[in-house]
Amino acid sequence: PDALRGRTNATALAEVLRAQAEGTPVHLVGGGREVAAFARAAKDLREGRPTSYHELACFDSWQEVVEYAESDPAGSEIVLMVRLMERFGVDAILRAVDQAAPERPGTLVVSTCHKAKGREWPVVRIAGDMVDVEPSDPELRLRYVAFTRARTHLDESAFRTEKPRESLREGIST
């Protein structure tokens, strides 16, 4: 694909990490500032320092964040980000964001559906995290945005495959 659309920042980052590991030039739309800020806050908490990052400021330690993520029945974005931090490590994530390529022909363009609004690519693949969410009205609008970004081919194969949910300790499923 020329582009990959995911629902969350965590999925977009997981796809960037996967592409980089395969040697594929990859661009992260938006540059990953939010992901890098979360990673730096996670590093602070791991090292015993408090953080002012909005999603993690109420926690005193990284262990508290992990415990919260393990008990979060909603599977929110914070859960996905914690899984990424645990699976790949903070430093690897910061490197991945820093090493993302500029957007140009031949580069896989990864983004959330929100960041893809108003843009198109010849071939677009939809990430698996679009499947696990109940199709409410807002979710259907988000899917519409994701599905209409492809000019010539849409790979929506994620919707044709059942994917088991993984626990926090097992890693992230994408």
Side-chain angles (χ1 to χ4, degrees), residues 3 12 14 20 31 39 81 83 91 114 128 167:
Q20 288 175 337
M81 293 299 290
R83 287 179 181 166
D91 292 334
H114 290 92
S167 75

Side-chain angles (χ1 to χ4, degrees), residues 20-169:
Q20 288 175 337
E22 294 170 353
T24 302
V26 60
H27 173 74
L28 180 60
V29 173
R33 279 188 312 274
E34 190 68 19
V35 170
F38 188 100
R40 284 190 296 277
K43 187 172 189 165
D44 285 342
L45 289 172
R46 281 179 185 256
E47 295 174 358
R49 293 185 303 269
T51 182
S52 60
Y53 180 72
H54 64 280
E55 286 189 77
L56 300 179
C58 62
F59 297 100
D60 292 324
S61 71
W62 181 248
Q63 186 57 39
E64 281 184 19
V65 178
V66 171
E67 289 170 7
Y68 168 81
E70 287 176 338
S71 66
D72 182 4
S76 65
E77 172 108 9
I78 193 170
V79 173
L80 298 173
M81 293 299 290
V82 168
R83 287 179 181 166
L84 285 169
M85 299 299 140
E86 291 294 293
R87 181 170 179 192
F88 297 104
V90 170
D91 292 334
I93 289 169
L94 290 170
R95 269 192 313 277
V97 170
D98 287 344
Q99 293 173 0
E103 186 174 351
R104 60 179 174 254
T107 300
L108 174 64
V109 178
V110 175
S111 79
T112 64
C113 297
H114 290 92
K115 292 176 184 165
K117 288 180 183 176
R119 302 184 66 195
E120 293 181 329
W121 294 268
V123 178
V124 174
R125 181 167 63 90
I126 303 298
D129 69 336
M130 298 290 290
V131 178
D132 295 335
V133 179
E134 277 300 311
S136 62
D137 285 346
E139 185 63 27
L140 290 173
R141 287 190 287 277
L142 187 63
R143 287 180 184 183
Y144 172 80
V145 169
F147 289 9
T148 58
R149 302 305 92 197
R151 278 185 249 152
T152 58
H153 179 74
L154 175 68
D155 177 354
E156 83 301 347
S157 59
F159 283 89
R160 295 188 296 243
T161 306
E162 282 278 325
K163 293 188 179 183
R165 295 193 75 103
E166 296 184 34
S167 75
L168 181 61
R169 299 218 189 288

